[in-house]
Amino acid sequence: QEQLVESGGGLVQAGGSLRLSCAASGRTFSGYSMGWFRQARGKDREFVAAISSTVPATNYADSVKGRFTISIDNVKNTVYLQMTSLNPEDTAVYYCAADRGSYIGPWAGEYDYWGQGTQVTVSS
């Protein structure tokens, strides 16, 4: 149904880790830049990280630098977000996004495709 499908969310204790996956559904996103955003309850959608495999380059929000790692498996057409040292402020619905170019910036409106989101809850 969705062209991007996130998985891997769940409940984790503070200090723990999760790996989110975002797989293409029904098409390939080869050559696209891929991003992760999150939206906590009552807050605006927030940029997390993005990657371009063509430049190549990555971009991270300051709040996740050193803790999160974005990567792409081009064979599987899947983008990952490895999250470590999670804290309750990381609690949000995490969305995968794709840009048909090489944009890896924080502006959500530049991304062309979006997944349905996966819930990440970090307990204290």
Side-chain angles (χ1 to χ4, degrees):
Q1 187 67 43
E2 290 86 16
Q3 293 175 299
L4 298 172
V5 180
E6 303 95 334
S7 62
L11 176 64
V12 64
Q13 291 183 315
S17 301
L18 284 173
R19 187 181 71 168
L20 306 183
S21 300
C22 174
S25 177
R27 64 160 295 166
T28 180
F29 287 85
S30 178
Y32 283 45
S33 61
M34 306 294 296
W36 286 96
F37 290 76
R38 65 188 184 186
Q39 187 165 17
R41 183 162 43 85
K43 295 185 177 181
D44 294 331
R45 186 166 44 184
E46 175 188 21
F47 173 76
V48 176
I51 184 168
S52 171
S53 61
T54 58
V55 175
T58 57
N59 188 22
Y60 293 93
D62 288 341
S63 60
V64 306
K65 285 181 180 178
R67 299 190 298 121
F68 292 9
T69 302
I70 187 171
S71 61
I72 287 180
D73 186 326
N74 289 315
V75 175
K76 296 180 179 179
N77 198 24
T78 300
V79 62
Y80 302 95
L81 186 68
Q82 179 67 52
M83 306 184 294
T84 63
S85 301
L86 287 163
N87 60 69
E89 291 189 317
D90 297 315
T91 295
V93 177
Y94 283 70
Y95 297 92
C96 179
D99 175 66
R100 62 181 176 270
S102 59
Y103 181 73
I104 57 171
W107 305 113
E110 295 294 330
Y111 293 84
D112 303 301
Y113 302 94
W114 293 84
Q116 85 289 350
T118 185
Q119 176 71 47
V120 172
T121 302
V122 184
S123 63
S124 59

